[in-house]
Amino acid sequence: MDESNAGSCRFLKAARCCNSGRPPVWLMRQAGRYLPEYQEIKQKHSFVEMCSDPDLAFEVSMQPYRRFGLDAVVVFYDILFLAEAMGAPLEYNPGPKFLEPLRTAEAINSLADPDPAGHTAPVLETLARLRSELPPEVAVLGFAGAPFTMAAYLVEGNFHRSGEWIKRLMNEAPDLLHALLEKLARATGSYLGAQLQAGADTVQLFDTWAGLLGRDDYRRFAQPYQEAVFDSIADSGAPSILYVNGGSHLLEEMSSSGAGVLSIDWRTSLREAREFLGKEIGLQGNLDPSILFGDPAEVSGKANQVLDEMAGDGGFIFNLGHGVLPGTPVESVRALVEAVQSRE
Amino acid sequence: MDESNAGSCRFLKAARCCNSGRPPVWLMRQAGRYLPEYQEIKQKHSFVEMCSDPDLAFEVSMQPYRRFGLDAVVVFYDILFLAEAMGAPLEYNPGPKFLEPLRTAEAINSLADPDPAGHTAPVLETLARLRSELPPEVAVLGFAGAPFTMAAYLVEGNFHRSGEWIKRLMNEAPDLLHALLEKLARATGSYLGAQLQAGADTVQLFDTWAGLLGRDDYRRFAQPYQEAVFDSIADSGAPSILYVNGGSHLLEEMSSSGAGVLSIDWRTSLREAREFLGKEIGLQGNLDPSILFGDPAEVSGKANQVLDEMAGDGGFIFNLGHGVLPGTPVESVRALVEAVQSRE
């Protein structure tokens, strides 16, 4: 595999399948509500303020790194701001909600191409600061929602577990959905390109809801648009990560998206995924974040199971299968991270 | 396979893997909001009234049969009434909500064993009427929620897609959850036994939320309690069905539950499931209910794909992968059912 740019960074080596030491570790939603130092800032500022002010976003992004010494720092931001930048009114109360769900051709056509220097500029500034202040062995991660998942949020307004409206649109007016997905793929590609230019070493594309699709629909409505996004940033040479929740039936399709790393959840076995995928693609995951509600000794035990299962795998990145949950005990997160770090 | 009791009933033959004609067809939530004749009754009665009055429940159960001539009639009722019968206050507004989510040992211990002749007696009367009025070639289906799924509803109160509280309980106090699951398994076994005695030819156990679990957790918290339920009704000799939503990673575990038929969704390929499972177990499914929002010609096309894929399979029962959605066009349901029926 290509070792260029990996240098001393454990994360980038693993993302290029050429890591020879312990796996790197970071956690989805590692910055957030479970941390007391986050709560302190949250008392004075809204979530939107914390994302939009690069001083606050930098501080919040750094909190879990300072506490646990993780191998990657992910920028504190939200995938939905890109849609807001395209003209979709968005409210947090406290969960996100698009005030005018997109369900007509007119509404979909009125979405504008976003200006990376405009509404989403703060994330670029935060990424630049993270990259300049963190040591080179720590990777800086940017991210975005994948077109299907962004479309699902936009069409549902307030996302429901079954994706009833997005699936209705998929069947009632597939061409309209394709038009929306194309627009989102274009915006997302240039958005991630700007993040990489600003300082991100790698980016993760969250197709969180694509696991609701059967394989045929995934091939029509999710995979081509993931591919378009990854294509548009391929020139950067940066490794990229694709995350799908509940995608155990989609491994083959995920592997042909162009992503260098697949991020899977607890429903897919890491070892079976590795056997199926071969050694040319990175694997990230996969513990159920709810295990962190167990006591620290149990948490260590479960982390060690994963570490044993993936021992010697040069393309493995240790993570959860979904974001850290609010209310998670800090000591369990510490036990998890230390289990990985003590492998060296 | 055992052909006893199958007689002229296409559904029972398929459930015993010895059907030689076209597959039987019925649809989960085939009675309900998408039918104008249902809406007419709904204008005068609440959902709870419609379930609790055997005259109304009989009428509503029969509506889709009268319209489409299906091979099985499922009784109109709700899985949550069993928990209400155990003492958990339940409200529909319009979605169901347990008013006092069970999250303490005290609350869990206070659940009582239900009396089948009590609160849930109407469903038994409705089943008896359905069995006595329908011709023998039409199967009558009873059902219940599986212990894990019932526990998820009880613990969450108002179910969220991620199952945050039930998973928290699973990790923080597994023994307490096991106590709840045991109690639910006992109640569910005697409840389904009573349904079979009253007139049901077969029963479906809905473990709708068990697909949120990884394999290890499924083996600990879902599978043993499904097994306990199926064990307790094994003497009846009736075939039973196990449904899991999003269970493509759990096929092996599902197959050892004791169910005679596995009901799978659009994320699992029927053909691959058949190859994996062998020919001794029935398979039911699996179209995404959202395809019914497409035009009738497309619906027929998708039904025919499934029919071709499973042609000659003596253990196949045609169904959706989840319940019919509100707002589904009646003509699409007709096109779906006719595609199956025209295979003869």
Side-chain angles (χ1 to χ4, degrees):
Chain A
M1 301 300 295
D2 176 18
E3 290 202 40
S4 59
N5 303 322
S8 62
C9 178
R10 188 187 299 278
F11 180 95
L12 289 176
K13 282 187 205 159
R16 296 181 192 290
C17 298
C18 58
N19 177 34
S20 53
R22 68 155 173 88
V25 54
W26 73 284
L27 307 177
M28 288 186 265
R29 228 185 285 146
Q30 64 192 18
R33 282 184 276 176
Y34 74 104
L35 286 174
E37 55 269 37
Y38 175 96
Q39 290 296 352
E40 222 170 280
I41 298 183
K42 186 79 183 65
Q43 277 172 7
K44 292 180 225 143
H45 302 278
S46 72
F47 173 73
V48 173
E49 281 166 12
M50 287 162 83
C51 293
S52 314
D53 176 335
D55 286 336
L56 294 175
F58 173 79
E59 180 55 29
V60 170
S61 306
M62 290 292 285
Q63 286 173 346
Y65 170 72
R66 290 200 191 105
R67 210 180 246 270
F68 308 118
L70 299 146
D71 298 302
V73 169
V74 56
V75 66
F76 189 76
Y77 209 62
D78 194 281
I79 59 168
L80 301 181
F81 295 138
L82 180 65
E84 195 181 37
M86 296 170 79
L90 174 65
E91 191 180 82
Y92 290 81
N93 184 27
K97 187 178 180 175
F98 285 108
L99 301 175
E100 297 160 17
L102 293 188
R103 290 175 198 162
T104 63
E106 203 190 344
I108 287 173
N109 293 331
S110 73
L111 275 194
D113 285 328
D115 171 12
H119 189 78
T120 56
V123 73
L124 305 181
E125 197 180 326
T126 311
L127 283 164
R129 284 192 55 186
L130 289 169
R131 187 57 287 164
S132 78
E133 304 214 14
L134 282 163
E137 63 269 24
V138 177
V140 171
L141 267 77
F143 64 90
F148 176 79
T149 289
M150 292 295 283
Y153 277 113
L154 280 162
V155 170
E156 302 285 334
N158 195 344
F159 197 79
H160 297 293
R161 65 175 179 273
S162 56
E164 209 167 299
W165 285 102
I166 185 77
K167 287 198 168 181
R168 218 173 139 151
L169 186 63
M170 218 166 84
N171 285 284
E172 279 179 348
D175 293 344
L176 192 57
L177 179 54
H178 281 298
L180 173 58
L181 292 165
E182 264 169 44
K183 198 175 269 200
L184 287 166
R186 213 164 44 234
T188 308
S190 70
Y191 181 49
L192 289 181
Q195 291 189 25
L196 289 164
Q197 270 204 310
D201 297 301
T202 177
V203 288
Q204 179 156 322
L205 191 65
F206 284 87
D207 220 345
T208 310
W209 301 119
L212 292 172
L213 302 177
R215 267 182 235 162
D216 287 349
D217 286 331
Y218 184 90
R219 284 190 196 126
R220 286 169 70 202
F221 296 104
Q223 205 254 4
Y225 301 100
Q226 297 162 355
E227 225 178 310
V229 172
F230 289 128
D231 268 0
S232 75
I233 55 169
D235 283 351
S236 71
S240 49
I241 310 169
L242 173 64
Y243 171 74
V244 173
N245 188 258
S248 55
H249 58 302
L250 299 168
L251 264 190
E252 189 179 337
E253 288 75 13
M254 286 173 73
S255 73
S256 61
S257 63
V261 179
L262 303 187
S263 188
I264 63 177
D265 77 17
W266 57 93
R267 284 167 277 198
T268 309
S269 142
L270 281 162
R271 191 160 42 193
E272 287 174 28
R274 174 56 80 210
E275 276 164 24
F276 181 80
L277 294 167
K279 292 189 173 176
E280 305 280 300
I281 195 160
L283 266 177
Q284 177 176 278
N286 74 341
L287 285 169
D288 189 328
S290 70
I291 66 141
L292 293 169
F293 288 100
D295 65 55
E298 265 178 84
V299 170
S300 294
K302 287 182 177 164
N304 277 314
Q305 269 178 30
V306 170
L307 290 162
D308 290 344
E309 197 178 344
M310 297 305 279
D313 191 308
F316 174 54
I317 297 166
F318 191 102
N319 205 322
L320 300 173
H322 207 166
V324 177
L325 295 165
T328 295
V330 173
E331 286 320 302
S332 291
V333 177
R334 182 180 305 284
L336 188 80
V337 175
E338 283 182 357
V340 188
Q341 288 168 342
S342 69
R343 285 280 164 145
E344 208 153 43
Chain B
M1 302 300 293
D2 175 18
E3 292 201 38
S4 60
N5 303 323
S8 63
C9 179
R10 187 188 298 278
F11 180 95
L12 290 176
K13 282 187 206 160
R16 296 183 191 287
C17 298
C18 59
N19 177 33
S20 54
R22 67 153 175 90
V25 54
W26 73 284
L27 307 177
M28 286 186 265
R29 227 184 286 146
Q30 64 192 18
R33 281 185 276 176
Y34 74 103
L35 285 174
E37 55 270 37
Y38 175 95
Q39 289 297 352
E40 221 169 281
I41 297 183
K42 186 78 182 65
Q43 277 171 8
K44 291 178 227 145
H45 303 278
S46 72
F47 172 74
V48 174
E49 281 166 12
M50 288 162 82
C51 293
S52 314
D53 177 335
D55 287 335
L56 294 174
F58 173 80
E59 181 55 29
V60 170
S61 307
M62 289 293 284
Q63 287 174 344
Y65 170 72
R66 291 200 190 107
R67 209 180 246 270
F68 309 117
L70 298 146
D71 298 301
V73 169
V74 56
V75 67
F76 189 77
Y77 208 63
D78 194 282
I79 60 169
L80 301 182
F81 295 138
L82 180 65
E84 196 181 35
M86 297 170 78
L90 174 65
E91 189 181 85
Y92 290 80
N93 185 25
K97 187 177 180 173
F98 285 108
L99 301 175
E100 297 160 17
L102 293 189
R103 291 174 197 163
T104 62
E106 203 191 344
I108 287 173
N109 294 331
S110 73
L111 275 194
D113 284 329
D115 169 14
H119 189 78
T120 56
V123 74
L124 305 181
E125 196 179 327
T126 311
L127 282 164
R129 285 193 54 186
L130 288 170
R131 185 58 286 162
S132 79
E133 304 215 13
L134 282 163
E137 63 269 24
V138 176
V140 171
L141 268 76
F143 64 91
F148 176 78
T149 289
M150 292 296 283
Y153 278 113
L154 280 163
V155 170
E156 302 285 334
N158 193 344
F159 197 79
H160 297 295
R161 65 175 179 272
S162 57
E164 210 167 299
W165 286 101
I166 184 76
K167 287 198 168 181
R168 217 171 140 151
L169 187 62
M170 217 165 85
N171 286 283
E172 279 180 348
D175 292 344
L176 191 57
L177 179 54
H178 282 298
L180 174 58
L181 292 166
E182 262 168 47
K183 198 175 268 200
L184 287 166
R186 211 164 47 234
T188 307
S190 70
Y191 181 50
L192 289 181
Q195 291 188 26
L196 289 164
Q197 270 204 309
D201 298 300
T202 176
V203 289
Q204 179 157 322
L205 190 66
F206 284 88
D207 219 344
T208 310
W209 301 120
L212 292 172
L213 302 177
R215 268 182 234 160
D216 286 349
D217 286 331
Y218 183 91
R219 283 190 197 124
R220 287 169 69 203
F221 297 104
Q223 206 253 5
Y225 302 100
Q226 296 162 357
E227 225 178 311
V229 172
F230 289 128
D231 268 0
S232 76
I233 55 169
D235 282 350
S236 71
S240 49
I241 311 169
L242 173 64
Y243 171 74
V244 174
N245 187 258
S248 55
H249 58 302
L250 300 167
L251 264 189
E252 189 179 338
E253 287 76 13
M254 286 173 73
S255 73
S256 61
S257 63
V261 179
L262 303 187
S263 189
I264 63 177
D265 77 17
W266 56 93
R267 283 167 278 198
T268 309
S269 144
L270 282 162
R271 191 160 41 192
E272 288 174 26
R274 175 56 79 209
E275 277 164 23
F276 180 80
L277 295 167
K279 292 188 173 177
E280 305 281 301
I281 194 160
L283 264 176
Q284 176 176 279
N286 75 340
L287 285 170
D288 189 328
S290 70
I291 68 142
L292 294 168
F293 288 100
D295 65 53
E298 265 177 84
V299 171
S300 295
K302 287 181 178 166
N304 278 312
Q305 269 178 29
V306 169
L307 291 161
D308 291 343
E309 196 178 344
M310 297 304 280
D313 191 308
F316 174 55
I317 297 166
F318 192 103
N319 204 322
L320 300 173
H322 207 164
V324 177
L325 296 165
T328 294
V330 173
E331 285 320 303
S332 291
V333 177
R334 182 179 305 285
L336 188 80
V337 175
E338 283 182 358
V340 188
Q341 289 168 341
S342 69
R343 286 278 164 146
E344 207 153 43

